[in-house]
Amino acid sequence: KAGVTQTPRYLIKTRGQQVTLSCSPISGHRSVSWYQQTPGQGLQFLFEYFSETQRNKGNFPGRFSGRQFSNSRSEMNVSTLELGDSALYLCASSLSGGPNEKLFFGSGTQLSVL
Amino acid sequence: QKEVEQDPGPLSVPEGAIVSLNCTYSNSAFQYFMWYRQYSRKGPELLMYTYSSGNKEDGRFTAQVDKSSKYISLFIRDSQPSDSATYLCAMSGGNYGQNFVFGPGTRLSVLP
């Protein structure tokens, strides 16, 4: 079974630009979560999607948004990039997003904002 | 105070040593506890999953949860250089729409 796939693997952008990251969950998984990982803050929850609906949201500004398609694939968008947005963005999937379900991560997209 | 605390290390041990990694937390609603291993430039990989208090063993790994003390541990027996990674604890409560809270991670180096 293929794991969680994230593209692209690396991105370099400049301040003010926008970026879109893509995530394909494990086949059969319908819940997709996004996390930001930085050396200073660790792993922080961005949002979770299930059945094309955002079901849970972390404490990030509105510049961070996402969506989920009918095939459970998800995209995350960051607009008006800031230097502090440089981070590893991780996507994780689970069957239905239950708190008792195991969460499986992709390898992440390393975003550098110059 | 952060919701989940974890000693960031780095922790260096000789090959074959027993490693003890720990997390403390403040939210008594947490019921599900996980340990992830993350190699450099990779996503976290699920190692252990436990529910409520108790112990769980899987090969060289043992996870312990003490909800009364809000304390969880991961033990690695006969540590190997391939165990060198960052270990993250994670926990969640009882709501759908997974919102796991992660510890900052402990960086472990196992020296040959």
Side-chain angles (χ1 to χ4, degrees):
Chain A
K1 209 177 205 183
V4 178
T5 304
Q6 290 188 248
T7 57
R9 189 75 180 85
Y10 300 96
L11 264 179
I12 299 175
K13 293 286 186 179
T14 55
R15 277 180 299 176
Q17 286 187 309
Q18 75 161 19
V19 66
T20 299
L21 314 181
S22 180
C23 172
S24 292
I26 291 172
S27 177
H29 284 193
R30 296 170 62 197
S31 168
V32 174
S33 300
W34 288 89
Y35 289 81
Q36 182 195 66
Q37 187 176 34
T38 58
Q41 298 296 320
L43 263 165
Q44 293 185 286
F45 175 76
L46 280 155
F47 29 66
E48 186 251 359
Y49 284 87
F50 177 77
S51 290
E52 302 177 62
T53 301
Q54 187 182 89
R55 188 164 56 177
N56 204 354
K57 190 177 189 303
N59 189 25
F60 277 82
R63 299 186 297 108
F64 293 82
S65 62
R67 58 177 175 168
Q68 187 180 34
F69 302 94
S70 59
N71 61 357
S72 294
R73 191 176 70 83
S74 177
E75 287 182 347
M76 191 192 99
N77 186 75
V78 187
S79 62
T80 319
L81 283 166
E82 300 177 0
L83 294 178
D85 297 333
S86 294
L88 180 66
Y89 289 88
L90 291 159
C91 166
S93 76
S94 69
L95 282 169
S96 60
N100 60 332
E101 293 176 7
K102 298 173 185 177
L103 199 59
F104 296 91
F105 283 88
S107 292
T109 294
Q110 184 68 54
L111 173 64
S112 298
V113 182
L114 306 178
Chain B
Q1 183 192 10
K2 287 197 170 182
E3 209 167 4
V4 179
E5 304 268 11
Q6 186 177 7
D7 187 337
L11 176 64
S12 293
V13 300
E15 184 176 353
I18 296 175
V19 176
S20 172
L21 304 167
N22 310 294
C23 287
T24 59
Y25 62 95
S26 57
N27 189 343
S28 57
F30 289 144
Q31 300 180 58
Y32 306 96
F33 304 90
M34 285 134 283
W35 285 95
Y36 285 85
R37 177 176 62 195
Q38 186 174 22
Y39 293 113
S40 181
R41 299 190 191 87
K42 296 284 189 183
E45 168 196 12
L46 181 63
L47 271 180
M48 299 290 285
Y49 171 92
T50 51
Y51 169 67
S52 196
S53 287
N55 293 359
K56 184 173 182 179
E57 189 173 320
D58 184 1
R60 297 184 296 111
F61 299 91
T62 299
Q64 287 185 352
V65 175
D66 181 351
K67 288 191 70 180
S68 62
S69 301
K70 296 191 181 69
Y71 187 88
I72 69 171
S73 301
L74 177 71
F75 298 95
I76 307 173
R77 290 182 299 280
D78 187 26
S79 56
Q80 304 294 310
S82 59
D83 295 327
S84 299
T86 296
Y87 289 80
L88 302 155
C89 62
M91 43 202 80
S92 73
N95 299 321
Y96 266 77
Q98 285 178 332
N99 183 0
F100 287 93
V101 180
F102 284 80
T106 298
R107 197 189 314 171
L108 170 68
S109 292
V110 181
L111 307 174

